[in-house]
Amino acid sequence: MTTPFVPAGTPARYLVDRPAAVEHIKLEISLDFANKRISGVASLRLRARQDGLEAVTLNAVNMTLSSATAAGKPVATEGYDGQTLRIPLDPPVRRGDVFEIKVDYSAQPTKGLFFLQPDANDPRRPTQCWTQGQDEDARYVFPCIDTPAEKATTEVICTVPKGKQFLSNGDLLETRDLNKTQTLWHYKLSAPHASYLVTLVCGDFVVLREQATETKVDVYHYAPPDRVADTQRSLASTPRMIDVFSKVIGIPYPHKRYSQVVVSDFVFGGMENTTATTLTDHALVDEEAALDHDVEYLVAHELAHQWWGDLVTCREWSEAWLNEGFATYFEYIWLERDRSRDEADWHALEQLDHYLHEAGDYQRPIVCRQYRAPIEIFDAHLYEKGGRVLHMLRQLVGDETFFAALRAYGNEFAGKTVETRDLVRTFEALSGRSLDRFFDQWVGRPGHPELEVSWSWDDDRQLGVLKVVQTQSEDFVYEFIVPVAFEVNGRLHHERVLINEKHNSRELRLEKKPTMVVFDAGGVLVADTKLNLPAPLLTRQVAAGPAAIDRIVAARALTNTPEAQVVVALAAALNNDVFWGVRAMAARQLAQLAPRQDALQALLKARTASHPKVRREVAAALGAFRAMAPAADALVSWIAAGDASVFALANAARSLGQTRDPRAATVLPPLIGRASFQSVVAVGAVAGLGASGLDEAIAPLIAAYVPTAPSHVRRMCLRALAALAEGTPAARRAREHIEHGLTDRDFTVRYAAAMGLGILNDRKAEPALEAAMRHESDGRAWRIMDRTLRRLREGQTSDEAVGHLKTEMEKLRDQVQILRERLDTLQAPAATPKPSTTPKAPRPRRPRPAARRTPKPRSKPRR
């Protein structure tokens, strides 16, 4: 059952009045690292939208104001309240007149601008500073009208310590040493953009330069001095992406240069500041991890924003899917163009899973005005669902129209702001279709279709019946067309089926009973779909589905039919499919059949699969075989031998704990000190200890949470400790330890601490959560603290009862699977059957319950 997205009574948010348009922002500033201070003059050139304009209000948070002028005249600043600055205009300004405001100010920002220096907890942290303006944090850095609806050209003249690199938006006009200790940098951007996209980055970087082959855009990579090779490896595809996106969108990259700067402790995966993207150093892929990992989805996402978000900008944050949904979909576009449709579909399926996982918690419309802070809506509804809706729109209107409409939309609104209705009208004009229903049900409403699909065949009438039932709880009925493929006589026959009722029954006349029925061929729908199809149809689809995504979906559907033939079909896919994603999914789904011995044997045989991403899933799958010695033995050997893939090794560590084998208490702790990309091996070991159910695992988990440990490890320590202690006598000790994480220096660790306290479900954590919320500066961490606190206050089942019930449910599931496997063995034909002229009675079929997609939380860095 879902919970409300925001508390009842949360007011709707609307765009503020803007009596004056900002045309140009000029910042003449200096950066003081010692005092973590910015100071200087912010000059704003504005044009009056109203006649007789008497004042302009600027957003300016916690600033020290030295002076201000309007149209060259000094103005009083005594009325400044620490949040907004009202600038009086005397005489009043006429509509259309241009005037300038200057504010001499200084600030020590708590948001928006971050200064980094080494300290005892992280002596290797570099001396850097960087901005993060999205969503409404530019107001902490310089006086502005801080809304995406206002777009202006910008100019930054900044004085920084000599010897450091400085990056801002647009073209670098000048670099000049002022004295022995200071250097002046001058950047100017001639295209209008929103204030949240203004960037200031200063630090020690090695600057690498390339050029895009076709568009001739200059591409700069600002690399940490000790990570130059990793930066080159991670960002190598950027020039080609610029060329590909320019061609696909039909609008050349709109600037002369594009930079990516890699900084430490960044609060997102990346941020698409105009011409100058900021990336976290966690995204840098080392040589070891590059075997089976890259961050091209992230690079593509931030680059796509240069068109969708920067050039064409959402008018207000409620419409932010026009930024984020578009950039998310261009991850798909890049993979499709650069690798294959199969790779792109695998990525899109992960995105759908992430959305469905979140939708199981709460549901909201993509365009949503009810939020307490804009950061609340930067979720999987905005990103993943938004991207998938665009994919559905593409399939609806066709490729030619889709990309022509994108080009028209981009050209018409370049340099402007947009709402969803602008997109709708553009697509309607190019397609000739009425699209209001499409956008109303997918963008304007919460939720998605929940479908139960079945198929029956009448031999006498040569007629099939496709039944699709919409089971979502609300009364609303979705209307859409779904592609269905039928294999008849070895050939595919395609139908487009209209679904527009709660209970849909469509008769389809075919020349022969189909051997395969592929519902939603190509995997386009944003829906939670149960396929109640006969096992022979699904096993055929696993083996011969026309697209990899079709075979993957069938593999998922099969596992709720735990018969020997299902294991055989999945094992064949695991060993033979041409696409690694199908093989990986087959391994994942074999885990759903635990503790069947045949499923375990199929996985053990694939232990040495050549593709590292398949080995990852095999390692993860073995964890499902609890208390089964062959699985634990294989994992112990795997860990001892190591693996070229750090992700496979990490999964092996996690799975060893999940098997509940007592060796986890001795095998896993040494791995916590193993250095790897994003500490994945250490994180796997910590997660394994958390899943082990061993009392001996509590001490190493508590010991592993130290201030000097990597943030990934600290984060997992808290969640693993909560999972281990849930419903046990150790819960109190765990709660008291996890509460310390609420004050961790890294917001993601504070976030994890709140989640851990939610797992423990102990109301005694309420005071610690309340105190943490009073001081929390990150909106994402504050939100999870708030949700945890509200759930604790609502009251839940006791820890002991929850933990006991969970254990009993796991035992019951295992017992049922063992009984099913034994029944399969008894019913299987003998190895050398005796000839007989007496026909056998038909074997009774067990009910085949539906297969529901099992969402998997996203683990990627994201913004």
Side-chain angles (χ1 to χ4, degrees):
M1 183 176 179
T2 60
T3 57
F5 169 59
V6 291
T10 300
R13 300 280 292 264
Y14 295 95
L15 186 62
V16 297
D17 292 340
R18 296 172 295 125
V22 185
E23 294 189 340
H24 185 69
I25 299 171
K26 182 179 181 180
L27 302 180
E28 298 171 273
I29 52 178
S30 62
L31 298 173
D32 181 352
F33 280 80
N35 295 300
K36 298 183 178 181
R37 178 176 292 274
I38 182 173
S39 59
V41 177
S43 304
L44 283 72
R45 187 174 72 236
L46 302 101
R47 183 183 298 272
R49 289 191 173 108
Q50 296 178 354
D51 200 23
L53 181 63
E54 297 181 345
V56 172
T57 300
L58 303 180
N59 301 113
V61 180
N62 298 335
M63 295 180 181
T64 300
L65 306 181
S66 299
S67 64
T69 64
K73 298 180 181 180
V75 296
T77 60
E78 287 80 3
Y80 173 57
D81 63 0
Q83 298 292 318
T84 58
L85 172 61
R86 185 179 185 274
I87 302 292
L89 302 174
D90 187 17
V93 178
R94 295 176 300 180
R95 180 186 289 112
D97 283 357
V98 176
F99 59 99
E100 186 176 58
I101 291 174
K102 289 188 176 182
V103 181
D104 192 332
Y105 77 102
S106 64
Q108 290 179 301
T110 56
K111 290 184 176 181
L113 177 63
F114 299 82
F115 288 89
L116 275 60
Q117 292 178 336
D119 60 24
N121 292 329
D122 191 355
R124 297 187 60 190
R125 181 187 288 118
T127 300
Q128 292 178 350
C129 75
W130 41 261
T131 52
Q132 172 51 43
Q134 193 180 59
D135 41 61
E136 294 179 346
D137 291 349
R139 63 188 66 189
Y140 290 82
V141 184
F142 59 94
C144 57
I145 298 178
D146 197 8
T147 169
E150 282 302 323
K151 302 181 73 169
T153 57
T154 56
E155 190 172 0
V156 174
I157 303 170
C158 187
T159 301
V160 306
K162 186 176 180 180
K164 294 192 178 297
Q165 294 287 335
F166 177 77
L167 178 65
S168 191
N169 312 93
D171 299 322
L172 177 59
L173 303 183
E174 180 187 14
T175 304
R176 173 165 48 93
D177 289 338
L178 299 179
N179 49 48
K180 293 182 179 180
T181 61
Q182 293 181 310
T183 301
L184 179 144
W185 296 73
H186 186 181
Y187 283 86
K188 188 173 185 179
L189 179 66
S190 299
H193 66 151
S195 57
Y196 76 88
L197 295 166
V198 173
T199 184
L200 314 172
V201 181
C202 184
D204 297 315
F205 301 103
V206 174
V207 184
L208 312 169
R209 180 178 176 180
E210 300 180 80
Q211 190 175 74
T213 303
E214 297 177 15
T215 56
K216 305 303 180 185
V217 174
D218 290 326
V219 181
Y220 295 85
H221 309 314
Y222 287 70
D226 59 341
R227 303 291 300 275
V228 172
D230 294 342
T231 302
Q232 290 175 311
R233 179 183 302 109
S234 304
L235 308 182
S237 294
T238 306
R240 192 155 45 89
M241 280 185 191
I242 292 173
D243 288 341
V244 168
F245 285 178
S246 295
K247 185 175 182 179
V248 169
I249 297 170
I251 302 173
Y253 174 78
H255 310 286
K256 295 178 183 177
R257 61 181 278 167
Y258 180 61
S259 301
Q260 294 169 106
V261 58
V262 180
V263 303
S264 294
D265 292 0
F266 195 54
V267 293
F268 289 109
M271 178 62 207
E272 69 275 10
N273 308 302
T274 313
T275 75
T277 287
T278 307
L279 296 170
T280 172
D281 59 356
H282 291 317
L284 293 183
V285 181
D286 58 29
E287 187 174 9
E288 184 180 46
L291 172 69
D292 54 337
H293 182 75
D294 63 70
V295 292
E296 291 197 1
Y297 75 93
L298 176 62
V299 177
H301 182 106
E302 306 306 338
L303 174 62
H305 269 308
Q306 299 300 314
W307 288 268
W308 314 121
D310 297 4
L311 181 67
V312 179
T313 309
C314 65
R315 180 174 178 267
E316 50 188 317
W317 293 122
S318 62
E319 297 276 3
W321 86 281
L322 296 171
N323 295 9
E324 299 301 347
F326 271 65
T328 299
Y329 188 52
F330 269 75
E331 299 171 25
Y332 183 98
I333 296 293
W334 170 249
L335 290 172
E336 181 185 38
R337 294 299 194 277
D338 183 65
R339 300 183 189 179
S340 68
R341 170 73 185 270
D342 289 344
E343 291 274 0
D345 284 341
W346 173 268
H347 187 65
L349 182 62
E350 288 188 316
Q351 292 177 337
L352 177 62
D353 284 350
H354 188 59
Y355 160 69
L356 291 176
H357 177 77
E358 183 176 273
D361 185 17
Y362 66 84
Q363 296 176 6
R364 67 170 183 83
I366 290 180
V367 175
C368 176
R369 292 189 178 277
Q370 285 186 296
Y371 54 85
R372 291 165 294 182
I375 194 65
E376 287 192 294
I377 61 173
F378 283 77
D379 58 7
H381 288 67
L382 198 73
Y383 287 77
E384 284 83 352
K385 185 181 181 184
R388 290 293 308 236
V389 167
L390 288 174
H391 192 46
M392 285 197 299
L393 179 62
R394 176 182 171 184
Q395 308 310 311
L396 178 65
V397 302
D399 275 17
E400 183 177 353
T401 299
F402 180 80
F403 290 108
L406 279 190
R407 181 166 59 252
Y409 171 72
N411 277 311
E412 181 176 356
F413 296 103
K416 303 175 185 177
T417 60
V418 288
E419 300 172 285
T420 299
R421 60 186 173 184
D422 298 315
L423 180 70
V424 176
R425 299 301 170 243
T426 303
F427 267 79
E428 287 186 332
L430 268 291
S431 69
R433 291 176 175 268
S434 173
L435 296 172
D436 286 339
R437 181 194 297 274
F438 177 90
F439 281 91
D440 177 65
Q441 64 185 12
W442 299 110
V443 176
R445 295 187 58 86
H448 52 269
E450 297 178 17
L451 307 176
E452 292 188 1
V453 180
S454 60
W455 169 261
S456 60
W457 177 257
D458 187 329
D459 268 324
D460 294 334
R461 300 170 61 201
Q462 292 292 289
L463 194 70
V465 178
L466 180 71
K467 292 185 178 180
V468 181
V469 180
Q470 298 192 34
T471 62
Q472 61 271 10
S473 57
E474 67 269 20
D475 292 334
F476 181 77
V477 177
Y478 287 84
E479 180 175 312
F480 54 90
I481 295 174
V482 61
V484 184
F486 301 89
E487 184 185 55
V488 180
N489 290 326
R491 298 189 306 273
L492 285 177
H493 172 73
H494 297 274
E495 294 279 351
R496 291 172 61 80
V497 179
L498 174 65
I499 306 299
N500 60 355
E501 299 173 307
K502 273 285 189 179
H503 295 268
N504 301 266
S505 182
R506 301 290 183 258
E507 293 186 347
L508 296 157
R509 191 170 298 281
L510 303 170
E511 59 184 276
K512 190 177 179 181
K513 182 179 181 179
T515 51
M516 181 165 57
V517 177
V518 184
F519 181 82
D520 187 23
V524 175
L525 277 179
V526 176
D528 192 354
T529 305
K530 298 178 181 180
L531 295 179
N532 297 332
L533 301 180
L537 291 180
L538 290 174
T539 55
R540 176 60 181 166
Q541 186 174 330
V542 169
I549 189 65
D550 301 323
R551 303 194 295 277
I552 288 168
V553 168
R556 285 181 154 187
L558 267 177
T559 50
N560 277 348
T561 307
E563 300 175 353
Q565 61 178 317
V566 170
V567 177
V568 171
L570 291 175
L574 172 59
N575 294 318
N576 302 324
D577 199 278
V578 295
F579 178 51
W580 67 263
V582 179
R583 303 199 299 275
M585 184 57 69
R588 189 180 297 178
Q589 295 310 111
L590 283 167
Q592 301 299 313
L593 300 175
R596 291 183 64 104
Q597 286 286 347
D598 50 357
L600 175 57
Q601 290 305 312
L603 288 167
L604 292 175
K605 289 177 182 177
R607 155 76 177 82
T608 56
S610 59
H611 200 294
K613 290 186 179 180
V614 177
R615 292 202 306 279
R616 281 196 213 181
E617 292 297 338
V618 171
L622 289 174
F625 294 84
R626 288 180 295 276
M628 296 183 71
D633 290 346
L635 290 166
V636 169
S637 298
W638 200 329
I639 293 167
D643 196 292
S645 167
V646 292
F647 299 95
L649 181 59
N651 282 354
R654 186 187 304 257
S655 288
L656 178 60
Q658 290 170 346
T659 65
R660 311 292 173 86
D661 189 281
R663 287 172 288 182
T666 54
V667 171
L668 297 183
L671 293 179
I672 297 176
R674 161 76 148 84
S676 60
F677 170 74
Q678 292 187 1
S679 305
V680 293
V681 175
V683 167
V686 168
L689 288 171
S692 69
L694 300 171
D695 292 340
E696 307 94 289
I698 292 178
L701 286 177
I702 290 177
Y705 180 79
V706 293
T708 54
S711 60
H712 296 87
V713 175
R714 302 201 307 276
R715 186 162 63 238
M716 183 52 72
C717 279
L718 299 181
R719 296 185 65 175
L721 183 59
L724 183 62
E726 178 192 3
T728 74
R732 175 181 174 179
R733 182 185 178 194
R735 173 182 57 78
E736 293 172 347
H737 184 74
I738 292 169
E739 285 176 350
H740 292 301
L742 294 172
T743 59
D744 194 279
R745 68 182 185 276
D746 189 296
F747 88 91
T748 65
V749 181
R750 302 194 297 272
Y751 186 108
M755 292 188 71
L757 293 173
I759 292 170
L760 291 176
N761 198 30
D762 184 350
R763 293 201 62 176
K764 292 180 180 178
E766 289 180 19
L769 284 164
E770 291 168 348
M773 289 174 65
R774 287 194 291 270
H775 302 286
E776 183 54 60
S777 60
D778 185 273
R780 293 157 295 182
W782 187 93
R783 176 173 170 77
I784 193 62
M785 291 175 187
D786 175 65
R787 290 179 70 81
T788 300
L789 187 58
R790 281 192 284 139
R791 286 175 175 175
L792 291 179
R793 287 171 175 166
E794 287 170 2
Q796 301 290 335
T797 307
S798 70
D799 297 343
E800 184 177 356
V802 170
H804 179 72
L805 180 61
K806 184 176 179 181
T807 300
E808 292 304 311
M809 287 288 289
E810 289 173 351
K811 289 179 180 178
L812 180 60
R813 191 198 74 162
D814 289 353
Q815 290 169 0
V816 169
Q817 290 284 42
I818 290 170
L819 290 173
R820 282 173 169 168
E821 184 175 17
R822 288 175 180 171
L823 183 59
D824 283 341
T825 302
L826 290 172
Q827 292 178 332
T832 55
K834 296 180 180 180
S836 174
T837 58
T838 305
K840 294 182 179 180
R843 173 179 155 188
R845 293 182 180 272
R846 289 192 295 277
R848 295 186 175 92
R852 181 181 294 272
R853 290 188 175 106
T854 304
K856 183 177 181 180
R858 179 183 178 118
S859 59
K860 302 171 184 174
R862 60 173 281 191
R863 182 196 44 72

